[in-house]
Amino acid sequence: MSTASRTKIALDAVGGDHGPAPCVEGALQAVKECDVEVILVGDEAILRKECERQSGHDHRLSIKHASQVVEMHESPAAVARKKRDSSIWVATELVKSGEAGAVVSPGNTGASMVASFFVLGLIKGVERPAIATSLPTLTGEAIMLDVGANVDCTANHLEQFALMGNEYGKHLLGKPNPRVGLLSIGEEDSKGNEVTKEAFKLLKASSMNFVGNVEGRDVYSGIADIVVCDGFIGNVALKISEGVAEMIKRLLLKEISGHFLGRLAYPLIAGPLANLKRKIDYAEFGGAPLLGVNGVTMICHGRSSAKAIKNAIRRAKGMAEGGVRELIQRDIEESHSRSLTEAE
């Protein structure tokens, strides 16, 4: 593929917990494995030094200087007021100008959302953006949204999340008609608060493959490909899941290492354990897109490894080339048209 037609990804290379090292390493892996160009955004001197340390000489890798960094503890609002030369803001501006097809950041999540909101804006008709994360299930993979962008939501917001997640699910999961479920406290139509009850009615009347309410215990069973909820519930569910997965991993290793038979059997079960670790490792999923903004923004974990950065770049490239944003805009416009027709 020629340089002119190769997708470019802007990477906030200094915003993560571990500095530029995993970002540069992940970018190098991405340009070699994903046929993509990566623009490293951050302090040029620091990034050049890191590239030299890693022997990162590749014509598909370039640097865009940004003099500021948004720290993890800083207020997200500060990025718009005081840090418009920060790595996340400059990286997002590269998408706005068309110099990059997507932005990837392991930095301050709130700052990423603020930069995307102010620089890229929202897709016409979208009221709230939503963070969509991937979860492992017994049958493969599911998408949950929102997991942190919106604390308080209306039923209409949840319907829009479902529409956006539906298009993302078609692209990511390769399913033409993904199953959409609404996270609630019971399977029955009458269960939930007033918002989820109203959202249930909207989703049931939509053209999506709505399978009804999904209880928390069923999220990982695979009965739904898209799980819709507000950002407060979604973020709590995600953090609890991360904690449980880490606890199970530690308990399992403790039990194996604490018994003679366990240590004896370890060579036989090492392969299955490695497969299990791979399936629940966040690094395999890379990042979570901020759906609803007028561009492609991929938000990564602050502790992202090089592998996670590489996979986030891979997903960002897929979204940019797959036209997911345009498909979401089409669905939102069709939804508005149906609503106006029904109102008349």
Side-chain angles (χ1 to χ4, degrees):
M1 184 179 290
S2 67
T3 300
S5 59
R6 189 181 287 125
T7 300
K8 292 184 179 180
I9 307 297
L11 173 62
D12 170 12
V14 293
D17 290 346
H18 302 308
C23 291
V24 171
E25 184 181 352
L28 284 168
Q29 293 175 9
V31 298
K32 292 173 183 176
E33 298 177 28
C34 308
D35 193 28
V36 67
E37 291 185 47
V38 177
I39 305 171
L40 301 172
V41 184
D43 187 286
E44 185 173 4
I46 293 174
L47 292 177
R48 287 200 182 281
K49 183 177 180 180
E50 185 59 37
C51 286
E52 289 290 335
R53 190 184 71 82
Q54 295 191 31
S55 300
H57 304 291
D58 194 300
H59 69 278
R60 295 164 295 185
L61 207 63
S62 60
I63 296 174
K64 176 71 173 179
H65 180 67
S67 63
Q68 299 173 304
V69 179
V70 180
E71 304 293 344
M72 289 296 185
H73 65 271
E74 288 189 86
S75 167
V79 69
R81 296 197 312 268
K82 305 175 182 178
K83 293 201 167 182
R84 296 204 174 194
D85 198 41
S86 62
S87 53
I88 181 56
W89 191 277
V90 173
T92 307
E93 285 185 328
L94 291 176
V95 178
K96 177 68 174 179
S97 66
E99 296 176 67
V103 56
V104 174
S105 176
N108 185 308
T109 297
S112 294
M113 291 192 293
V114 168
S116 293
F117 181 83
F118 282 101
V119 176
L120 301 177
L122 297 181
I123 292 173
K124 184 180 179 181
V126 171
E127 297 178 19
R128 300 275 187 89
I131 301 174
T133 193
S134 297
L135 302 172
T137 71
L138 293 175
T139 58
E141 187 176 344
I143 297 166
M144 178 184 285
L145 74 165
D146 176 32
V147 293
N150 307 278
V151 175
D152 298 307
C153 297
T154 66
N156 287 327
H157 294 152
L158 295 181
E159 181 190 24
Q160 288 198 349
F161 296 168
L163 288 167
M164 295 190 292
N166 189 55
E167 283 300 341
Y168 180 52
K170 290 177 184 178
H171 161 77
L172 182 65
L173 307 177
K175 294 184 177 182
N177 197 25
R179 298 161 298 167
V180 178
L182 179 64
L183 188 59
S184 189
I185 58 173
E187 297 178 359
E188 298 83 1
D189 302 12
S190 59
K191 290 295 181 71
N193 56 25
E194 293 305 314
V195 172
T196 54
K197 289 177 185 177
E198 182 61 28
F200 185 99
K201 296 176 184 177
L202 294 175
L203 294 175
K204 190 173 183 180
S206 74
S207 59
M208 289 178 283
N209 183 15
F210 181 55
V211 297
N213 286 337
V214 174
E215 293 188 75
R217 65 185 179 187
D218 294 323
V219 168
Y220 294 93
S221 69
I223 65 173
D225 302 304
I226 315 296
V227 180
V228 179
C229 56
D230 66 50
F232 181 85
I233 296 297
N235 193 266
V236 170
L238 182 64
K239 295 297 175 58
I240 289 175
S241 299
E242 289 177 350
V244 171
E246 182 64 23
M247 180 203 64
I248 291 175
K249 183 176 71 174
R250 292 189 180 186
L251 285 178
L252 189 58
L253 291 175
K254 183 178 180 181
E255 289 297 319
I256 291 173
S257 62
H259 296 83
F260 172 73
L261 291 178
R263 294 193 295 273
L264 192 65
Y266 183 76
L268 300 176
I269 63 174
L273 285 177
N275 288 335
L276 175 62
K277 182 180 183 299
R278 179 179 57 79
K279 289 179 180 179
I280 64 175
D281 185 5
Y282 75 89
E284 293 291 336
F285 300 108
L290 180 65
L291 301 180
V293 294
N294 200 20
V296 178
T297 296
M298 193 68 64
I299 297 173
C300 306
H301 202 293
R303 300 192 300 274
S304 288
S305 63
K307 182 180 182 181
I309 295 295
K310 177 196 72 176
N311 285 330
I313 291 172
R314 185 197 303 275
R315 288 204 167 183
K317 173 181 182 276
M319 285 190 66
E321 295 179 354
V324 176
R325 181 191 64 80
E326 291 80 6
L327 293 171
I328 287 175
Q329 181 168 346
R330 181 202 64 188
D331 288 358
I332 294 295
E333 289 176 350
E334 289 178 355
S335 175
H336 279 302
S337 296
R338 284 195 301 270
S339 297
L340 290 173
T341 300
E342 291 171 0
E344 293 173 355

